[in-house]
């Protein structure tokens, strides 16, 4: 009879009583079990058909070693498959109920980022989080977290190559990651770099290949006989442009047709973007008048962007429960014990996610 431990903040691990005492039960993995069964069948056949007893024992030990190695490889290559819960308890110090603390690498492994990149609402959020990790937190990841990081990055690049969705964002991520790796590899010995230096060199070469693939990416021309963007009236196109919060998106959309280019150069559009992202005090420090004496709001936007961060907008983000100290994706939910769980929830920006694990 399994024992399900229960903590007042979150459900415990699943425990099974054995002859040696209580042991934590891991979720079942069919692929791993099938592989081990095949190796057991092979070892059994070796025992039956072996001519020499010593050779049979030796072959059996080899098969058992292969089964153990297969299980280890399965765990390392599929880091997240052993976690049923899609949330993680964030604690920075030991308590009576919990010992140790939660690290950035552990949270990165536990939260389901592989599935999150398939959701268009979370795609930009995950990419921004990977970019922040690449800039400052790459050396804090464990070996398993590093492997998981590059596996997710590989899936992102494949998705962009197939769907051609937001390649500019991925190019910026790879550029920051390659710059960080070049600095770390060049200064090896001066900083803590988990893993063999040759592995990091191979990863850097892979990143360069990805960058070349994205550079050669050709957008597929869609054949559509129905209503297109060009057929929309001017006030609708203007409304679409005014709903974009990123200046680069405005410029990209303006390159589609001459009409959209004319609308994308509207001074009021860029003035609203500046007012949305930056404070009035920041305008006074970086005033850039045009030749006619007016403020060039488009130039102002990109000038201010160099000095101040812009506001981030995401379709969906991770959430943090202040009552339970649990980090999770909102649609997965968690067993909150508060009387009104909605009042405990707080959206977590990518930078806030990083800050949660700074000790």
């Amino acid at each position: 009879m399994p024992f399900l431990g229960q903590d007042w903040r979150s459900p415990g691990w699943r425990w099974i009583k054995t002859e040696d005492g209580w042991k934590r039960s891991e979720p079942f993995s069919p692929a791993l079990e099938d592989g081990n069964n095949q190796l057991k069948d092979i070892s059994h056949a070796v025992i039956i058909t072996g001519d020499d007893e010593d050779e049979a024992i030796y072959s059996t030990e080899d098969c058992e070693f292969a089964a153990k190695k297969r299980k280890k490889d399965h765990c390392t290559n599929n880091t997240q498959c052993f976690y049923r819960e899609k949330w993680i308890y964030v604690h920075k110090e030991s308590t009576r109920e919990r010992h140790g603390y939660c690290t950035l690498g552990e949270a990165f492994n536990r939260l389901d980022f592989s599935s999150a990149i398939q959701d268009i609402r979370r795609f930009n959020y995950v990419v921004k989080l990977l970019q922040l990790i690449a800039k400052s937190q790459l050396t804090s990841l464990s070996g398993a977290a590093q492997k998981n990081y590059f596996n997710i990055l590989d899936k992102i690049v494949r998705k962009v190559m197939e769907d051609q969705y937001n390649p500019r964002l991925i190019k910026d991520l790879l550029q920051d990651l390659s710059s960080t790796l070049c600095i770390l590899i060049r200064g090896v010995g001066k900083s803590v770099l988990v893993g063999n230096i040759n592995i990091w060199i191979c990863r850097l070469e892979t990143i360069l290949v990805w960058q070349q693939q994205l550079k050669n990416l050709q957008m597929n021309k869609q054949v559509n006989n129905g209503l297109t963007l060009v057929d929309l009236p001017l006030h609708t196109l203007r409304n679409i442009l005014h709903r974009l919060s990123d200046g680069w998106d405005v410029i990209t959309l303006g390159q589609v047709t001459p009409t959209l280019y004319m609308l994308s150069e509207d001074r009021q559009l860029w003035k609203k973007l500046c007012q949305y992202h930056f404070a009035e005090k920041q305008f006074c420090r970086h005033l850039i008048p045009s030749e006619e004496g007016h403020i060039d709001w488009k130039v102002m936007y990109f000038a201010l962007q160099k000095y101040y961060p812009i506001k981030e907008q995401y379709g969906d983000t991770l959430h943090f429960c202040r009552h339970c100290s649990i980090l999770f994706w909102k649609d997965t939910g968690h067993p909150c014990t508060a009387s009104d769980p909605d009042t405990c929830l707080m959206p977590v920006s990518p930078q806030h996610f990083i800050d949660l694990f700074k000790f």
Side-chain angles (χ1 to χ4, degrees):
M1 176 67 67
F3 170 73
L4 298 178
Q6 186 71 26
D7 181 47
W8 67 275
R9 285 162 296 198
S10 60
W13 293 98
R14 187 170 182 267
W15 296 83
I16 294 180
K17 190 174 183 180
T18 64
E19 296 179 355
D20 300 329
W22 288 90
K23 291 187 177 181
R24 193 172 71 189
S25 174
E26 294 181 343
F28 177 73
S29 177
L32 178 61
E33 189 66 22
D34 292 342
N36 289 339
N37 288 337
Q38 291 178 2
L39 289 171
K40 289 179 181 178
D41 294 339
I42 294 173
S43 63
H44 181 68
V46 169
I47 294 175
I48 295 174
T49 59
D51 296 333
D52 186 75
E53 185 177 355
D54 294 336
E55 292 181 0
I57 295 174
Y58 178 76
S59 300
T60 305
E61 291 176 351
D62 281 351
C63 291
E64 291 177 354
F65 175 78
K68 292 180 180 178
K69 186 176 186 303
R70 180 186 179 89
K71 183 176 181 179
K72 181 180 179 181
D73 293 341
H74 183 83
C75 293
T76 54
N77 292 330
N78 301 278
T79 308
Q80 294 180 347
C81 70
F82 288 94
Y83 299 109
R84 293 176 298 173
E85 299 87 359
K86 303 303 180 185
W87 46 263
I88 186 169
Y89 179 80
V90 180
H91 56 294
K92 297 185 178 181
E93 58 184 8
S94 298
T95 63
R96 293 180 61 183
E97 296 85 5
R98 297 177 181 272
H99 297 282
Y101 57 90
C102 180
T103 64
L104 175 64
E106 184 181 358
F108 192 78
N109 288 337
R110 288 288 297 274
L111 297 171
D112 192 13
F113 288 108
S114 295
S115 300
I117 61 175
Q118 304 302 327
D119 190 338
I120 194 171
R121 300 171 302 164
R122 300 174 179 172
F123 182 84
N124 291 358
Y125 181 87
V126 176
V127 172
K128 181 63 176 179
L129 180 58
L130 294 181
Q131 189 174 14
L132 291 177
I133 292 176
K135 287 182 177 179
S136 61
Q137 301 295 321
L138 196 61
T139 56
S140 66
L141 297 180
S142 63
Q146 289 174 11
K147 180 175 287 188
N148 191 20
Y149 180 95
F150 283 95
N151 285 340
I152 294 174
L153 187 58
D154 180 47
K155 292 180 181 179
I156 289 176
V157 174
R158 291 183 183 181
K159 178 178 175 59
V160 172
M161 296 299 294
E162 294 174 1
D163 303 344
Q164 301 175 347
Y165 176 74
N166 210 344
R168 176 179 58 83
L169 195 64
I170 315 304
K171 290 179 181 178
D172 294 341
L173 165 60
L174 294 178
Q175 181 61 40
D176 291 337
L177 183 58
S178 62
S179 300
T180 301
L181 284 183
C182 287
I183 295 173
L184 292 175
I185 292 173
R186 198 177 299 119
V188 64
K190 299 179 182 178
S191 60
V192 179
L193 195 61
V194 178
N196 190 289
I197 185 63
N198 295 325
I199 296 178
W200 287 102
I201 293 175
C202 291
R203 287 171 177 170
L204 179 59
E205 293 175 351
T206 303
I207 292 171
L208 297 177
V209 172
W210 287 339
Q211 288 179 317
Q212 189 61 38
Q213 290 175 351
L214 291 173
K215 185 178 180 181
N216 299 332
L217 179 63
Q218 299 291 331
M219 295 295 180
N220 296 329
K221 188 175 182 180
Q222 296 183 356
V223 179
N224 190 354
N225 297 325
L227 185 68
T228 62
L229 190 65
V230 184
D231 301 323
L232 296 176
L234 286 179
H235 69 275
T236 304
L237 295 175
R238 186 180 293 108
N239 191 19
I240 292 174
L241 282 167
H242 278 263
R243 290 181 179 273
L244 298 177
S245 61
D246 191 337
W248 284 108
D249 292 337
V250 174
I251 291 179
T252 303
L253 187 57
Q255 295 173 348
V256 177
T257 63
T259 302
L260 285 171
Y261 175 77
M262 177 191 67
L263 295 175
S264 67
E265 294 294 317
D266 183 20
R267 291 183 65 253
Q268 291 299 321
L269 170 64
W270 290 99
K271 181 178 180 180
K272 288 183 177 180
L273 278 176
C274 290
Q275 292 174 341
Y276 173 75
H277 288 287
F278 310 106
E280 187 175 353
K281 293 181 179 179
Q282 297 169 345
F283 295 162
C284 300
R285 299 176 184 176
H286 304 278
L287 286 177
I288 304 176
S290 61
E291 296 178 356
E292 294 81 9
H294 302 290
I295 297 176
D296 193 334
W297 291 105
K298 182 178 179 181
V299 177
M300 173 80 76
Y301 172 84
F302 290 104
L304 292 172
Q305 194 178 24
K306 296 179 181 179
Y307 300 99
Y308 310 104
I310 63 174
K311 292 183 180 180
E312 300 174 352
Q313 283 187 337
Y314 303 102
D316 191 15
T317 67
L318 286 168
H319 282 71
F320 182 72
C321 179
R322 288 171 288 191
H323 179 266
C324 307
S325 297
I326 284 178
L327 192 64
F328 65 100
W329 293 107
K330 193 171 183 179
D331 62 347
T332 58
H334 79 286
C336 182
T337 57
S339 57
D340 189 3
D342 292 336
T343 60
C344 306
L345 300 186
M346 178 180 66
V348 178
S349 67
Q351 185 59 54
H352 187 199
F353 178 89
I354 301 295
D355 294 339
L356 278 174
F357 303 98
K358 286 184 178 179
F359 306 122

